[in-house]
Amino acid sequence: MFTLKNHLEIRDNHLVISGMDTIELAEKYGTPLYVTNESRIIDNFSAYRKAFPDADIYYAAKANGSLAILRMLARQGAGADVFSYGELYMALLAGIPREKILFNGNSKTDFELQKAVETGVRVSVDSRDEMHTLSEIAQISGKTIEIAFRVNPDVSPRTHPKISTGLKTSKFGIPADEVVSAYREASGLSGISPCGIHCHIGSQILDTSPFTEATHKMMDLVGKITELGIKLKFVDMGSGLGIPYKKEETAPTPRDHADAILPVFKERTKALGISPKLILEPGRYIVGDTTILLTRVNTVKKAAKNFVGVDAGFNLLVRPTMYDSYHYAVVANKAGSEPEETYTIAGPICETGDVFAKDRMLPRVEKGDIIALLDAGAYGFSMSSQYNGRPRCAEVLVKDGIADIIRGREDIGDLIGKQKIPERLM
Ligand code: LLP
C-alpha cells in the first residue's frame, strides 16, 4: 500500500479511501458516487483550530452543506457561515449553536431576515438598505439583532475573477470609505446592534499577502469604529485559503494563513486596547480534499482526441466547466498501473464544456473502468443540478473501513416531483 495523494492510498492496484476499496464502493452503491473521508474533515478542522487557537472557526456551509458533515463539524465546536435560509436551517438542524452562526448574503429576502430575527443569529449586513429593512423587521418582533457590516476592502486576492469577492467592483459589501458612517447610522437605529465587522476577499487564494493587506484595512476601520464609541465583539476575516489541486502545486496551510493575519490583528487590537473575537470562515480547506467523485466509464472513443465518456457530468461537479479548475483523475481500478496514453475525460451532458480533465496521461482506459476525480469535496455536490434530466448521485461517508450513505441517490421521481402539467394541457 502506498500513499497517492494526502489520505488516499493504493492497495492491489485499487484506489483506497479511509480503508475502503473504491471499486467495492462503486459496486455496492453504484456510480456516480461522492465518497467523503470523515477523518480527513476532522484533521482539516483541527489544523485550523490549532493555527488559530483563540479564534472561532465558522465553517462555510456553502462548500458542502450535507447534514452529516455539518453535524460532524458541530460536534467539533464549529460555528457556521450561512448564506441563505436553507443553509441556516440545516446548520441549526445539525446542532450548530445559533450564537455561532453568521447569516451572510448580499441580497437577502425579507423572509430570510425575518428568519434571522426569529432564530436570533447574527447578521452580516451588506448594504444600508438592508440595515433599514432589518431594523424594521427586528423592531416589529421586539428584538435586537447583533449585526456586522460586510466590508468591501478593495483587495485583490489574485484568484479566479469569478471567485474574487473583495474587489472594489464586486457585488459584495459596503465600500470601505462608507463603512464608518454606516456604523454611525446603525448605532442610532432600534432593533439592530452593530457589534462586529466582516469581510471575505475571495476563494482558492494561494498567496497569503492579500490576507495581510485585508487585515490592515479592516483594522484601520476597527480603529475608526472604536473611536465612535462602538465596542466591537468580533472581527470576521472570512476565509479563502486555497488547496493544492495539482500534485506539484504548493498551497499555504492554516498556519500560513494565521501568520498572515494574527501578528497584525494582535498588534492592532492591543494598541487599541480592545479584545474582539477573531472569526474565520473556511470552507474549501475543511472539505475540499476529503472527497472523491467516482464515475464509471461508459465509452472510449478515438477521435481528434482520445475521449473517455463517463457517467458523471458537470451537473455533479461544475468546477472544471465553470472555473477551468483542475481535478486530479485516477483510474481507480488501475491506480498503480503505468500511464500509457493521453485521454480527455468528458461527461454525458450535451455541452462541449462538459469536460472534467483534458489531455491526461492515464493507464489504458476501457469501458467499465472507474475514474476517481479527486479533491471534489468543496463546491462539488453543493453546486450540483439536475441538468439534462439527470438525478443527482448518492453521497457516502467512510471511516476506517465503514461506509454510510449520507445522501440517497435521486431517481426519476425526484426529477418530476414538484412539477405539474396544467389541466388545460391534458
Ligand atoms: N465566507 C464567505 C462570506 C464566502 O462567500 C465564502 C465563499 C467563504 C466564507 C468560504 O470560502 P473558502 O474558504 O471556501 O474559500 N464555487 C467556487 C467558490 C465560491 C466561494 C464563495 N464564497 C469554487 O468552486 O471554487
Side-chain angles (χ1 to χ4, degrees), residues 60 62-63 81 83 104 150 163 165 198 200 202-204 238-241 281-285 319 323 378-379 383:
K62 58 185 79 73
D81 139 43
F83 224 79
N104 290 314
R150 166 85 180 251
I163 51 175
T165 50
H198 176 219
H200 172 73
S203 198
Q204 185 52 15
S239 173
L241 191 67
E281 301 177 337
R284 189 188 309 272
Y285 184 86
R319 302 194 67 257
Y323 316 110
Y379 311 105
M383 291 179 79

Side-chain angles (χ1 to χ4, degrees), residues 76-111:
Q76 297 297 310
D81 139 43
V82 300
F83 224 79
S84 64
Y85 173 55
E87 286 183 1
L88 170 63
Y89 182 88
M90 290 189 286
L92 288 169
L93 188 65
I96 295 183
R98 65 165 186 81
E99 314 83 63
K100 284 193 177 178
I101 294 179
L102 185 67
F103 197 147
N104 290 314
N106 65 297
S107 178
K108 305 179 194 80
T109 61
D110 288 6
F111 170 80

Side-chain angles (χ1 to χ4, degrees), residues 24 118 151 189 239 256 290 292 298 373:
E24 285 171 21
E118 267 172 33
V151 176
L189 293 177
S239 173
D256 298 323
T290 65
I292 57 179
N298 285 329
L373 297 162

Side-chain angles (χ1 to χ4, degrees), residues 14-243:
H14 285 189
L15 181 67
V16 169
I17 179 168
S18 196
M20 301 290 292
D21 184 318
T22 53
I23 306 310
E24 285 171 21
L25 288 171
E27 292 307 329
K28 182 163 179 196
Y29 299 103
T31 57
L33 184 70
Y34 270 104
V35 183
T36 295
N37 180 347
E38 179 171 340
S39 309
R40 186 71 181 177
I41 296 187
I42 305 295
D43 290 350
N44 290 346
F45 184 76
S46 305
Y48 245 102
R49 249 208 328 224
K50 247 193 183 155
F52 291 92
D54 301 320
D56 273 346
I57 310 298
Y58 286 15
Y59 169 62
K62 58 185 79 73
N64 188 328
S66 298
L67 278 177
I69 290 173
L70 292 173
R71 177 72 193 144
M72 280 162 53
L73 290 166
R75 289 173 58 159
Q76 297 297 310
D81 139 43
V82 300
F83 224 79
S84 64
Y85 173 55
E87 286 183 1
L88 170 63
Y89 182 88
M90 290 189 286
L92 288 169
L93 188 65
I96 295 183
R98 65 165 186 81
E99 314 83 63
K100 284 193 177 178
I101 294 179
L102 185 67
F103 197 147
N104 290 314
N106 65 297
S107 178
K108 305 179 194 80
T109 61
D110 288 6
F111 170 80
E112 287 179 314
L113 293 173
Q114 177 66 47
K115 286 294 176 189
V117 170
E118 267 172 33
T119 53
V121 296
R122 287 169 167 166
V123 177
S124 171
V125 172
D126 194 86
S127 67
R128 282 184 187 237
D129 209 11
E130 185 186 318
M131 168 182 76
H132 288 290
T133 311
L134 181 60
S135 161
E136 281 162 26
I137 292 175
Q139 284 181 67
I140 293 167
S141 305
K143 287 201 181 175
T144 299
I145 295 301
E146 293 193 329
I147 65 156
F149 281 107
R150 166 85 180 251
V151 176
N152 180 325
D154 190 18
V155 170
S156 169
R158 291 172 216 140
T159 183
H160 193 286
K162 283 187 185 156
I163 51 175
S164 297
T165 50
L167 293 171
K168 201 176 196 156
T169 48
S170 107
K171 67 171 182 170
F172 299 102
I174 297 181
D177 55 3
E178 290 173 32
V179 165
V180 177
S181 78
Y183 277 89
R184 192 179 294 117
E185 190 180 351
S187 56
L189 293 177
S190 302
I192 55 171
S193 166
C195 72
I197 187 162
H198 176 219
C199 78
H200 172 73
I201 58 171
S203 198
Q204 185 52 15
I205 297 172
L206 293 174
D207 162 11
T208 58
S209 60
F211 294 126
T212 310
E213 189 188 340
T215 312
H216 275 295
K217 288 193 170 179
M218 289 289 278
M219 293 313 297
D220 288 346
L221 293 171
V222 169
K224 290 179 187 159
I225 294 159
T226 306
E227 277 171 24
L228 290 181
I230 296 174
K231 209 171 156 218
L232 290 179
K233 292 187 191 169
F234 68 94
V235 175
D236 183 336
M237 290 301 300
S239 173
L241 191 67
I243 61 167

Side-chain angles (χ1 to χ4, degrees), residues 327-339:
H327 287 266
Y328 203 74
V330 178
V331 185
N333 52 318
K334 299 171 182 170
S337 303
E338 285 302 316

